[in-house]
């Protein structure tokens, strides 16, 4: 992976821009915004996707594969930290003296001149950003936004606004969340991660404290999360609004019910406000409390804020339904940290009376090495069976001996898991296990969602085989 050079000056005017890895969830949202603002956009990615097709339809010129000779004359090249230093298009840009901007700098450019709300946290920031964008849309606030996933009710991951507000998901993984001129900062939680960049938990916490203290107006932060508590002890900000279940929370979450829908109440300034969200899981009631705290901090009336929050119906790759085959529901979730997997599986449990069959794709060699035992513990406790794929390395080089087998070997009960590197064989194993009423869920921020057509085909084929045997 590359380390972003956040000191690279952002050109005053950009008319032509090239994206390396344009199909990523965050990159595509920025590209879409630049296209709609009239910029000429080119891009490349390593594989074809629906996202590339959509961007081409909006006017982008995109090719598959990375070729430095194809890099056109542009005013800037936009990259992510997941890029390798020897990427031929990156090398060509540097050799030609074209400014190379990290995606966070491109976001900074788009947000300039707006009252910026930035959402950060180890978990829940994409959902919280999407919930906030949906609520502001319902409130007719004219807010622009860029999110790390498609906001289901809005049909996009980004949009221009005609008002003063702009909302973005701020990525802490490489420290780039520190470059924004933030008015209101929302910190969902602080669960130590990305030590390949920060080196220590203390450095990770200090980065979040700086992010909070740099906010020009208000910091909204969890009252319950242990890591958030560490960060609060480091903060010096004068205006802090807390949310959660704690008795002293400024926005206190109470009376959560998960069936038949997620309902709850928020206690704020001596008043009680009942609310609901259209997505499963107790964690989404907590996300709603954080978003409510942001909205009232921005000046919105509490009742109107909660009503607006109720319009949210989810984001892409966050407990996203992919239909059902022979009575087996198929879902995908972005969970890639043990704490996120725990939340995702608990949410899934409220959505089915059947068994949960998880398909886990370990993400990053370092995370798999460091957290294999915890992953196994969570899956063994909360899923009925887990099929483990091999590691999706993303920005990392392989680490000798680190494969998906590390997670499988950490299960206490071997009968509750399989390690199957081959996707077709894994799909067939899931189909063999699943029966009517069960829920199958893929979990990872890698490319595990691409296995879903194979899973569904295998489920259908298993049903066809059963019918064939019954007719013999």
């Amino acid at each position: 992976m590359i380390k972003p050079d956040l000191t690279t000056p952002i050109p005053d005017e950009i008319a032509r821009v090239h994206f390396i890895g344009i199909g990523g969830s965050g990159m595509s949202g920025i590209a879409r915004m630049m296209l709609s603002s009239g910029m000429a956009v080119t891009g490349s990615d390593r594989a074809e996707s629906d996202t590339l097709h959509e961007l081409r339809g909006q006017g982008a010129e995109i090719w598959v594969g990375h070729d430095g000779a194809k890099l056109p004359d542009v005013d800037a090249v936009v990259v992510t930290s997941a890029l390798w230093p020897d990427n031929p298009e990156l090398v060509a840009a540097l050799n030609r003296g074209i400014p190379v901007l990290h995606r966070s700098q491109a976001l900074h450019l788009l947000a300039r001149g707006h009252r910026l709300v930035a959402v950060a946290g180890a978990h829940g920031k994409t959902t919280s950003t999407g919930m906030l964008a949906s609520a502001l849309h319902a409130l007719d606030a004219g807010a622009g936004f860029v999110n790390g996933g498609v906001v289901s009710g809005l049909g996009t991951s980004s949009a221009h606004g005609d008002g003063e507000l702009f909302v973005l998901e701020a990525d802490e993984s490489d420290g780039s969340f520190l470059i924004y001129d933030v008015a209101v900062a929302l910190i969902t939680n602080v669960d130590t991660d990305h030590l390949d960049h920060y080196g220590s938990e203390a450095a990770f916490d200090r980065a979040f404290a700086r992010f909070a203290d740099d906010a020009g107006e208000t910091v909204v932060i969890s009252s319950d999360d242990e890591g958030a508590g560490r960060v609060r002890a480091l903060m010096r900000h004068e205006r802090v609004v807390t949310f959660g279940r704690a008795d002293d929370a400024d926005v206190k979450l109470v009376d959560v019910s998960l069936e038949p829908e997620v309902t709850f109440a928020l206690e704020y300034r001596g008043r009680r406000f009942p609310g609901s969200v259209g997505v499963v899981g107790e964690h989404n009631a907590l996300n709603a409390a954080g978003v409510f705290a942001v909205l009232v901090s921005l000046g919105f009336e509490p009742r109107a804020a909660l009503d607006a929050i109720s319009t949210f119906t989810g984001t892409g790759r966050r407990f996203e339904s992919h239909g059902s085959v022979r009575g087996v529901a198929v879902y995908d979730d972005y969970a890639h940290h043990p704490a996120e997997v725990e939340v995702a599986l608990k949410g899934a449990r409220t959505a089915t009376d059947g068994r949960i069959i998880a398909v886990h794709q370990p993400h990053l060699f370092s995370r798999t090495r460091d957290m294999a035992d915890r992953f196994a513990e969570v899956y063994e406790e909360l899923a009925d069976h887990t099929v483990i794929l091999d590691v999706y390395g993303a920005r990392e080089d392989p680490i000798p001996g680190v494969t998906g087998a590390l997670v499988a070997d950490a299960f206490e009960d071997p009968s509750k898991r399989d390690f199957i590197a081959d996707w077709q064989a894994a799909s067939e194993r899931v189909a063999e296990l699943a029966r009517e009423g069960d829920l199958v869920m893929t979990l990872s921020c890698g490319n595990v969602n691409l296995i879903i057509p194979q899973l569904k085909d295998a489920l259908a084929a298993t049903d066809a085989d059963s019918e064939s045997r019954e007719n013999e």
Side-chain angles (χ1 to χ4, degrees):
M1 63 178 288
I2 62 172
K3 288 194 176 294
D5 180 4
L6 301 178
T7 66
T8 301
I10 301 173
D12 291 332
E13 293 187 13
I14 296 179
R16 300 164 299 169
V17 62
H18 179 77
F19 288 77
I20 306 176
I22 196 171
S25 57
M27 292 280 273
S28 61
I30 299 169
R32 193 177 298 111
M33 291 277 284
M34 290 186 168
L35 282 165
S36 63
S37 67
M39 296 184 195
V41 173
T42 59
S44 62
D45 215 318
R46 61 184 178 182
E48 193 60 70
S49 68
D50 291 341
T51 301
L52 301 193
H53 180 72
E54 175 197 348
L55 289 171
R56 289 190 188 103
Q58 295 174 7
E61 179 186 345
I62 302 172
W63 57 86
V64 174
H66 300 297
D67 184 349
K70 288 185 176 181
L71 182 67
D73 290 327
V74 292
D75 300 312
V77 169
V78 179
V79 301
T80 72
S81 298
L83 214 59
W84 294 106
D86 61 353
N87 180 283
E89 293 173 15
L90 173 62
V91 171
L94 293 172
N95 288 340
R96 289 163 53 183
I98 300 173
V100 175
L101 305 180
H102 186 263
R103 63 179 294 271
S104 61
Q105 292 173 293
L107 272 174
H108 179 71
L109 174 66
L110 290 170
R112 272 195 311 212
H114 290 83
R115 189 182 181 196
L116 178 61
V117 181
V119 182
H123 321 297
K125 55 183 175 285
T126 300
T127 296
S128 294
T129 305
M131 191 179 289
L132 184 54
S134 292
L136 289 169
H137 178 77
L139 290 164
D140 293 324
F145 70 92
V146 176
N147 195 24
V150 173
V151 184
S152 299
L154 303 180
T156 183
S157 64
S158 65
H160 276 292
D162 55 11
E164 66 168 351
L165 290 170
F166 194 97
V167 181
L168 61 81
E169 177 182 342
D171 181 13
E172 80 284 351
S173 66
D174 52 15
S176 60
F177 71 150
L178 299 175
I179 76 166
Y180 304 118
D181 296 324
V182 178
V184 178
L186 168 59
I187 299 176
T188 58
N189 45 60
V190 181
D191 196 347
T192 304
D193 200 358
H194 310 297
L195 294 184
D196 56 326
H197 175 78
Y198 291 98
S200 68
E201 179 182 271
F204 189 71
D205 291 349
R206 286 195 299 270
F208 269 93
R210 179 182 161 194
F211 170 75
D213 285 337
D214 284 348
E217 297 178 21
T218 307
V219 179
V220 176
I221 189 169
S222 169
S223 63
D224 307 342
D225 180 67
E226 180 181 350
R230 296 194 308 268
V231 169
R232 285 176 64 195
L234 298 172
M235 287 165 44
R236 298 184 304 276
H237 207 286
E238 294 182 354
R239 181 150 191 241
V240 178
V241 179
T242 60
F243 69 94
R245 292 183 176 276
D247 289 337
D248 62 350
D250 297 307
V251 175
K252 184 179 178 182
L253 175 66
V254 297
D255 296 342
V256 178
S257 175
L258 304 180
E259 295 180 5
E261 63 178 351
V262 177
T263 59
F264 54 90
L266 299 178
E267 295 179 355
Y268 174 65
R269 293 187 174 178
R271 298 172 63 190
R272 181 185 179 89
F273 301 93
S276 64
V277 287
V279 282
V280 303
E282 185 173 358
H283 60 290
N284 281 312
L286 190 61
N287 289 333
V291 170
F292 174 88
V294 170
L295 291 172
V296 295
S297 297
L298 290 170
F300 292 97
E301 192 275 325
R303 183 67 264 163
L306 259 185
D307 289 344
I309 288 169
S310 70
T311 66
F312 177 68
T313 57
T315 56
R317 298 211 63 196
R318 274 71 180 176
F319 199 64
E320 183 178 17
S321 172
H322 286 264
S324 63
V325 180
R326 63 172 173 86
V328 178
V330 180
Y331 284 83
D332 174 54
D333 197 275
Y334 206 65
H336 54 280
H337 181 283
E340 295 171 348
V341 170
E342 180 177 356
V343 167
L345 292 176
K346 285 181 177 178
R349 187 62 69 185
T350 69
T352 182
D353 293 324
R355 299 173 304 155
I356 295 175
I357 301 171
V359 180
H360 171 63
Q361 181 188 52
H363 181 261
L364 299 182
F365 294 99
S366 59
R367 184 182 287 127
T368 305
R369 176 197 62 201
D370 298 339
M371 300 183 177
D373 290 349
R374 178 64 180 139
F375 275 115
E377 179 184 352
V378 172
Y379 278 112
E380 190 161 8
E381 176 186 356
L382 298 176
D384 295 281
H385 197 92
T386 303
V387 173
I388 301 157
L389 306 175
D390 220 339
V391 179
Y392 183 88
R395 59 185 180 266
E396 292 186 340
D397 289 322
I399 297 175
V402 177
T403 71
L406 281 184
V407 179
D409 292 344
F411 273 65
E412 292 186 4
D413 182 355
S415 70
K416 295 193 68 174
R417 55 72 172 153
D418 297 286
F419 169 53
I420 306 175
D422 180 78
W423 280 22
Q424 185 56 39
S427 299
E428 292 170 0
R429 175 59 174 155
V430 169
E432 177 188 350
L433 290 164
R435 55 178 180 252
E436 185 175 352
D438 288 348
L439 185 150
V440 171
M441 183 160 61
T442 57
L443 299 102
S444 179
C445 66
N447 64 351
V448 72
N449 57 311
L450 300 181
I451 200 176
I452 288 173
Q454 287 174 261
L455 285 172
K456 295 175 75 172
D457 287 347
L459 285 165
T462 304
D463 189 41
D465 288 346
S466 298
E467 291 182 3
S468 177
R469 287 192 296 269
E470 289 175 3
N471 292 330
E472 288 178 358

